[in-house]
């Protein structure tokens, strides 16, 4: 089951307190970014957040599951918790703060 656009729109609306939150299509689903850092994904209408110490403490109790087959486990944020916009924004913000800045990609070599 693919993620519905209304799920993505709702999560973006609820997470405005986290900073510059955006999504990008990735592998048929969506990557979630805060201030340019990928902090999780939306797959099958579920929110998965990369596990960090601060994120685990903030989300406790939380279960973990891989967002897609072969992926490392992420924090699975239940849909009933999305309604608390302040809580969700705080979760995404503390997670982003703990994750490293992505390394820039090397330019492709021309042939």
């Amino acid at each position: 089951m693919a993620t519905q656009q209304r799920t993505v729109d709702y999560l973006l609306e609820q997470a405005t307190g986290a900073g510059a939150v955006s999504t990008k299509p990735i592998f048929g689903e969506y990557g979630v970014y805060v201030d340019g850092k990928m902090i999780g994904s939306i797959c099958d209408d579920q929110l998965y957040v990369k596990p960090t110490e601060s994120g685990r403490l903030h989300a406790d109790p939380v279960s973990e599951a891989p967002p897609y087959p072969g992926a490392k486990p992420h924090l699975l944020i239940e849909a009933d918790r999305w309604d608390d916009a302040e809580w969700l924004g705080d979760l995404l913000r503390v997670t982003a703060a703990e994750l490293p800045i992505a390394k820039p990609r090397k330019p492709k070599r021309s042939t």
Side-chain angles (χ1 to χ4, degrees):
M1 165 174 102
T3 296
Q4 297 177 46
Q5 185 62 47
R6 69 179 181 198
T7 300
V8 175
D9 294 342
Y10 182 71
L11 281 168
L12 286 173
E13 179 183 310
Q14 291 298 96
T16 56
V21 180
S22 62
T23 60
K24 293 181 187 174
I26 183 169
F27 306 120
E29 294 290 354
Y30 295 87
V32 180
Y33 298 80
V34 173
D35 298 328
K37 290 182 187 178
M38 185 173 185
I39 58 94
S41 57
I42 305 169
C43 299
D44 295 328
D45 284 325
Q46 297 187 80
L47 175 62
Y48 296 89
V49 176
K50 289 184 177 183
T52 63
E53 187 174 329
S54 299
R56 274 193 185 96
L57 288 173
H58 186 76
D60 190 41
V62 67
S63 60
E64 292 190 21
Y68 52 88
K72 293 180 182 179
H74 284 52
L75 305 179
L76 175 57
I77 309 305
E78 299 294 334
D80 61 342
R81 299 180 89 180
W82 303 351
D83 292 334
D84 186 343
E86 184 177 345
W87 180 88
L88 183 61
D90 289 345
L91 171 64
L92 300 184
R93 189 175 57 257
V94 300
T95 299
E98 205 168 312
L99 291 172
I101 296 172
K103 296 177 184 177
R105 291 184 168 187
K106 294 181 181 180
K108 292 183 180 180
R109 300 175 94 188
S110 59
T111 54

